[in-house]
Amino acid sequence: MIEHADPFSRRAPHACYSITESPRERRIPVLLYAIVKSQKRLLIINIFGIGDVLFTTPLIRNIRAAAPDAFIGYVCNARAVDVLRNNPDINKVFVY
């Protein structure tokens, strides 16, 4: 199933298309998927609180599924490092 979102609409959940195998599958935008697939090293920067870091964990899981061999680094603050330390989808956590 392919869902189209108008990239110029303020109501669009993201600025590109999303694709999913079934309604229960996780969604990753097609444009993001293409970018992630072509990269060997990715860095996620989130220097905010623990809650914001927790909200990015599904993103990390989807990035790892899209690019299983890529190096994924994550920049976070010292309070959130314990949340990410044992995440198997992150190769290295950098503390800001």
Side-chain angles (χ1 to χ4, degrees):
M1 174 188 350
I2 299 178
E3 297 176 5
H4 302 282
D6 179 10
F8 301 106
S9 171
R10 292 180 186 231
R11 294 185 206 169
H14 42 66
C16 58
Y17 301 98
S18 67
I19 188 167
T20 179
E21 297 290 325
S22 70
R24 292 184 181 189
E25 295 281 327
R26 288 186 195 87
R27 298 175 189 184
I28 184 167
V30 172
L31 180 60
L32 177 61
Y33 180 79
I35 292 169
V36 167
K37 281 295 268 191
S38 66
Q39 300 300 312
K40 298 197 184 313
R41 299 174 63 136
L42 299 159
L43 181 64
I44 301 167
I45 301 171
N46 188 347
I47 56 171
F48 301 107
I50 295 171
D52 293 328
V53 170
L54 285 173
F55 280 125
T56 61
T57 53
L59 172 71
I60 298 164
R61 192 175 20 225
N62 285 330
I63 289 173
R64 178 57 70 202
D69 297 330
F71 176 88
I72 299 176
Y74 199 109
V75 178
C76 67
N77 64 29
R79 294 178 300 185
V81 72
D82 292 330
V83 173
L84 299 170
R85 184 168 304 187
N86 295 322
N87 188 327
D89 296 323
I90 300 173
N91 295 101
K92 183 159 182 155
V93 178
F94 302 94
V95 179
Y96 173 75

